[in-house]
Amino acid sequence: MSKIWNPEYEQISHARLEELQLQRLQWVVKWAYERVPAYKQKFDAAGIKPKDVKKLGDLARLPFTTKDELKEDYPYGFFALPMNKIVRIHSTSGTTGTPVVVGYSRGDLNTWAELVARIVTAAGVTEDDLAQISFGYGMFTGGFGLHYGLERVGAAVLPASTGNTERQIRIMRDFGTTTLISTPTYALHLCEVADTMGVDLRKLPLRIGLFGSEPWSEGMRGEIQERMGILATDNYGLTEVMGPGVAGECEEQNGQHFNEDHFIPEIINPETGDVLPRGETGELVITTLTKEGFPMIRYRTRDLTYLMPDECPCGRTLVKMARVLGRTDDMLIIKGVNVFPSQIEQVLTEVEGVEPQYQIILKKKGVMNDIEVNVEMSEKFFPDAMRKLVEFERAIEARLQTVLGIYVKVNLVEPMSIERTGGKAKRVIDRRDA
Ligand code: DLL
């Protein structure tokens, strides 16, 4: 079993954790109230003062913070420190409009490296490892976030960044990479390109992969592990709250330990805003407890998951968060049924002869939304599959129908015809206006 990076906090007792969380919550509420006009306005409107936070349960009385509010105060409205105390700035990609800009103090960067050190250690990375970071370095938090945490652990970092996939494989093979850091879809793409180059990744020293930044399924994990010959773990984070390092899996591969001494997770009913009991699925809401540059109070992540009630055999006491099912805004309502892309992916990973590369085409059928799924066939299966095509499409349609409860038309498409990106995969194509 891997070492625990910071046993004092990762194995903290429940009582001590609650005491620490309360003390830190009182600090952050006061810090945000006094420094960020938007928080002062929100708290005043809700009739709450920082001194009213007397117990952890009072958190539920505080107003939520939403992405729209952060966008309204673009770029620096939610910064709690003047620029001469900010030493790093990152931002969301802004693909859906205004990006969210976040700032880190020197202390925040130190905490970030510490929390990433915890999650990479939990996945089994040590100072003996060579870690290839195939996340973008730039405004995205993935590259730099993992970088400093891995360096803190003492691993040798290969800042490969994204793109030039053949070069990535050559680095992996020639430099002896032992740890891969990327999105799960990029990991899969690396497998495909390695195949075309005649490189057997299973024979290389590669042994661990830390994947995150987008939803993926257990089936996808199995596929990556098998094709790379590694242990693949999931890790979660978001720019608004810090970036990677919020939560990460240990070698048990069963839930991501949430760094609760720095963040309080709550699960709410996204419609009513009510806090749900542990074990129930809903929207994850996060409060940062130690961030100075960009404190977030009850930030609505829009990610759907649940907190697991069980203890972990690894010895860490920090609560585990289940795999993120998807974002509330990724949820499609088709013929009255809630459908997540990750459910479709899980089915596809169970079908032999297709790649877990797919696109969901969103259409209008009368007034109702409808979807079709383009599914990519495996190269090796393609030539003799032509005659089996129809049969095959029907088989996948039947499996999707069993899982989703609705009929979805499936179109098989040529191998390598669905776009691979170094970043997050685009799974839903909206053709409702076409
Ligand atoms: O993706 C931070 C990150 C970088 C996490 C590297 C892990 C590794 P954003 O670009 O702001 O930040 O995107 C955050 O991505 O709200 C989720 O919807 C999704 N997401 C992140 N990690 C996971 C994961 C980074 N492990 C948004 N599983 C989040 C599912 C994830 N979804």
Side-chain angles (χ1 to χ4, degrees):
M1 201 183 282
S2 70
K3 149 179 171 189
I4 294 180
W5 177 255
N6 190 336
E8 184 186 348
Y9 290 100
E10 291 179 82
Q11 294 186 300
I12 194 167
S13 73
H14 197 62
R16 169 84 184 101
L17 176 66
E18 288 201 335
E19 196 184 308
L20 186 71
Q21 283 183 327
L22 177 60
Q23 189 192 332
R24 290 181 166 178
L25 179 65
Q26 288 169 331
W27 171 81
V28 74
V29 168
K30 187 161 185 290
W31 180 266
Y33 184 86
E34 288 172 356
R35 286 169 174 78
V36 180
Y39 279 123
K40 183 170 186 316
Q41 271 166 24
K42 282 150 64 73
F43 280 50
D44 288 349
I48 292 176
K49 295 266 175 271
K51 64 174 173 33
D52 297 332
V53 178
K54 298 201 167 71
K55 50 184 191 315
L56 276 179
D58 291 332
L59 177 62
R61 296 171 53 206
L62 304 180
F64 293 117
T65 306
T66 65
K67 193 171 190 140
D68 288 341
E69 289 173 305
L70 303 185
K71 286 181 175 179
E72 270 164 36
D73 271 349
Y74 171 84
Y76 301 133
F78 273 81
F79 279 35
L81 284 174
M83 211 45 93
N84 63 1
K85 294 279 180 282
I86 295 290
V87 292
R88 178 91 65 77
I89 291 176
H90 281 282
S91 86
T92 60
S93 60
T95 39
T96 51
T98 317
V100 174
V101 182
V102 299
Y104 302 76
S105 68
R106 205 169 287 286
D108 294 336
L109 288 188
N110 186 41
T111 306
W112 196 7
E114 151 74 20
L115 300 187
V116 173
R118 289 185 191 176
I119 64 158
V120 300
T121 304
V125 178
T126 72
E127 60 187 5
D128 295 325
D129 282 297
L130 256 72
Q132 182 164 339
I133 303 186
S134 304
F135 268 138
Y137 278 71
M139 298 312 280
F140 176 55
T141 54
F144 283 101
L146 265 305
H147 186 106
Y148 288 100
L150 283 157
E151 277 192 359
R152 182 155 302 185
V153 166
V157 175
L158 298 160
S161 198
T162 48
N164 203 339
T165 308
E166 292 194 2
R167 179 164 169 254
Q168 301 262 2
I169 309 275
R170 283 195 295 275
I171 292 176
M172 229 174 239
R173 182 192 61 197
D174 301 345
F175 295 16
T177 302
T178 63
T179 305
L180 173 66
I181 313 286
S182 71
T183 57
T185 45
Y186 193 60
L188 208 57
H189 184 48
L190 283 165
C191 296
E192 293 168 339
V193 176
D195 283 349
T196 63
M197 291 167 71
V199 175
D200 185 352
L201 296 175
R202 285 168 303 190
K203 299 218 171 97
L204 302 184
L206 199 62
R207 62 184 198 96
I208 300 173
L210 278 111
F211 305 113
S213 187
E214 63 181 0
W216 54 315
S217 57
E218 266 319 303
M220 178 88 115
R221 182 198 321 252
E223 177 121 6
I224 294 172
Q225 295 198 135
E226 164 74 25
R227 289 173 77 168
M228 290 194 159
I230 61 169
L231 180 99
T233 58
D234 192 6
N235 72 95
Y236 171 86
L238 66 166
T239 314
E240 297 88 321
V241 163
M242 186 171 76
V246 175
E249 275 184 337
C250 59
E251 287 159 307
E252 295 292 322
Q253 298 179 297
N254 178 26
Q256 308 174 63
H257 289 283
F258 215 98
N259 281 315
E260 287 177 286
D261 50 332
H262 292 271
F263 308 102
I264 299 185
E266 295 172 279
I267 301 291
I268 62 160
N269 173 329
E271 264 113 57
T272 63
D274 293 341
V275 177
L276 298 174
R278 202 161 268 199
E280 280 188 32
T281 300
E283 179 182 344
L284 175 67
V285 169
I286 303 177
T287 298
T288 64
L289 294 177
T290 53
K291 272 178 64 196
E292 299 169 330
F294 199 80
M296 276 292 101
I297 312 270
R298 302 197 86 202
Y299 183 66
R300 291 191 61 159
T301 66
R302 307 193 211 177
D303 291 322
L304 291 174
T305 182
Y306 62 92
L307 297 174
M308 302 168 78
D310 48 320
E311 281 176 20
C312 189
C314 78
R316 288 175 185 79
T317 51
L318 299 176
V319 71
K320 289 194 290 189
M321 173 181 90
R323 175 184 287 290
V324 171
L325 183 61
R327 300 174 65 86
T328 45
D329 26 338
D330 286 343
M331 188 179 81
L332 305 167
I333 302 179
I334 310 299
K335 300 171 197 164
V337 173
N338 297 347
V339 174
F340 282 96
S342 58
Q343 292 176 291
I344 294 182
E345 177 181 301
Q346 177 63 27
V347 168
L348 298 183
T349 57
E350 291 162 10
V351 179
E352 207 195 335
V354 300
E355 298 291 325
Q357 294 288 357
Y358 60 98
Q359 273 172 341
I360 301 165
I361 315 291
L362 199 49
K363 296 177 153 185
K364 267 252 149 33
K365 196 173 184 180
V367 289
M368 301 280 269
N369 283 336
D370 199 8
I371 48 169
E372 278 185 23
V373 183
N374 288 348
V375 177
E376 205 179 271
M377 300 200 63
S378 300
E379 190 78 58
K380 57 180 183 298
F381 210 72
F382 198 54
D384 65 295
M386 289 306 280
R387 60 192 157 76
K388 285 198 188 158
L389 215 118
V390 177
E391 211 180 295
F392 203 34
E393 283 176 345
R394 292 298 96 81
I396 301 172
E397 285 167 0
R399 288 180 87 137
L400 282 172
Q401 179 139 26
T402 314
V403 173
L404 306 177
I406 48 169
Y407 168 75
V408 173
K409 179 163 169 28
V410 167
N411 307 312
L412 287 168
V413 300
E414 278 170 59
M416 302 304 286
S417 62
I418 291 179
E419 191 196 0
R420 272 68 166 158
T421 64
K424 308 185 193 217
K426 182 165 169 54
R427 294 303 187 195
V428 180
I429 314 291
D430 193 346
R431 295 223 180 107
R432 280 176 298 183
D433 291 334

